[in-house]
Amino acid sequence: MSMRIAFLASQTSSAQSAFDVLTERYGNVEPNTADVIVALGGDGFMLHTLHATIDVPAPVYGMNRGTIGFLMNTYNESELIKRLQAAEQEIINPLTMRAMDRNGKLHQALAINEVSLLRAGPQAAKLMISIDGRQRLAELVCDGALVATPAGSTAYNYSAHGPIVPIGSDVLALTPIAAFRPRRWRGALLPSGANVRFDVLEADKRPVNADADSISKSIADIDWVEISTESEVRHKILFDPGHGLEERLISEQFS
């Protein structure tokens, strides 16, 4: 059975070398005409590929030519067609971020892993947190905060001591970054349909930037940010059998 494959590669030498070998062996088509997209790189490049191919129906199969490779499969040049045919598909709904800066400009972006807020000056940020229009925390003094999807819960969220969230749990992780007050507040688990709003307090004195997956330039000097699950967008990622996101999320907790 023939399969039209679109190969995309990061700029690293190992990814470019793999691109040359694989396209010579299996051919190469444009993503919008492909049956499957094969991304060669690390997790950062996988996120870039998913963002770049959001309007392309083909699923994405990653092969690790980076460092961690949580979203990637093991690299192997042999029997790629068989691996693609046997691969299991995971569906990921990203987060949508709406951020208003202090100049009154509205910014919008999608995030597969997380939306993060970080202080942009020497002083700690002060954030007010509301969930579905109800104030839940009047003042969080911190270096920042983030909202992570289950797929992104092992990334920045885990480094900030947030929980690893099972892929089928329909929850989001709200995690503070270096919280000072309330000192013992460790964050919250929220329904995936929740609307999370951060209002920046004393924004002139304590500026805050916002990021969606850290893919593009940070949004500087924000006034407020709203985050919710974008159920209309479905990212399709392929994994080798027995190595899907659910298994990886469980394994990560015992490593």
Side-chain angles (χ1 to χ4, degrees):
M1 176 182 175
S2 62
M3 183 176 289
R4 296 169 299 177
I5 305 173
F7 290 96
L8 301 175
S10 70
Q11 293 302 309
T12 66
S13 58
S14 61
Q16 289 295 313
S17 176
F19 177 86
D20 292 339
V21 170
L22 292 169
T23 54
E24 175 67 25
R25 186 166 184 173
Y26 298 102
N28 194 28
V29 300
E30 292 297 317
N32 59 357
T33 64
D35 297 311
V36 62
I37 296 167
V38 173
L40 305 168
D43 286 334
F45 184 71
M46 183 60 151
L47 292 177
H48 173 81
T49 300
L50 292 170
H51 281 283
T53 60
I54 192 170
D55 295 321
V56 177
V60 180
Y61 179 90
M63 285 207 289
N64 191 20
R65 294 282 81 193
T67 306
I68 306 281
F70 183 80
L71 295 173
M72 315 301 280
N73 298 284
T74 303
Y75 179 75
N76 194 320
E77 298 165 5
S78 302
E79 299 187 332
L80 178 58
I81 301 299
K82 288 185 179 180
R83 291 178 72 184
L84 293 175
Q85 291 172 342
E88 299 171 350
Q89 182 171 280
E90 300 273 8
I91 301 294
I92 294 176
N93 298 113
L95 300 172
T96 183
M97 175 187 75
R98 299 173 66 247
M100 181 72 73
D101 66 28
R102 296 186 64 227
N103 292 318
K105 182 178 180 181
L106 182 65
H107 305 260
Q108 298 189 64
L110 294 175
I112 296 161
N113 274 0
E114 78 281 317
V115 172
S116 58
L117 287 74
L118 289 171
R119 67 184 177 103
Q123 294 182 299
K126 285 189 177 181
L127 305 174
M128 181 175 70
I129 302 176
S130 302
I131 309 298
D132 294 329
R134 180 178 176 182
Q135 184 188 111
R136 291 292 185 176
L137 197 57
E139 184 178 278
L140 172 65
V141 183
C142 57
D143 278 355
L146 61 87
V147 176
T149 65
S153 65
T154 62
Y156 193 1
N157 171 72
Y158 194 39
S159 297
H161 306 292
I164 293 180
V165 181
I167 196 69
S169 58
D170 287 330
V171 299
L172 303 175
L174 168 55
T175 301
I177 301 170
F180 181 69
R181 290 285 187 275
R183 190 179 295 276
R184 292 181 174 84
W185 190 66
R186 300 301 299 272
L189 291 176
L190 305 171
S192 60
N195 181 278
V196 183
R197 178 178 171 115
F198 296 96
D199 284 279
V200 181
L201 307 178
E202 302 178 23
D204 55 337
K205 180 181 178 183
R206 304 169 185 269
V208 172
N209 294 346
D211 276 292
D213 278 346
S214 300
I215 292 295
S216 56
K217 186 178 179 180
S218 296
I219 301 166
D221 205 14
I222 60 171
D223 185 31
W224 55 261
V225 175
E226 290 185 345
I227 304 159
S228 58
T229 299
E230 181 50 79
S231 58
E232 297 300 315
V233 177
R234 292 161 53 89
H235 292 289
K236 295 175 285 187
I237 307 179
L238 298 177
F239 293 98
D240 292 330
H243 297 277
L245 278 178
E246 184 172 354
E247 170 60 27
R248 291 170 189 232
L249 288 167
I250 293 173
S251 296
E252 191 72 16
Q253 297 174 81
F254 294 89
S255 61

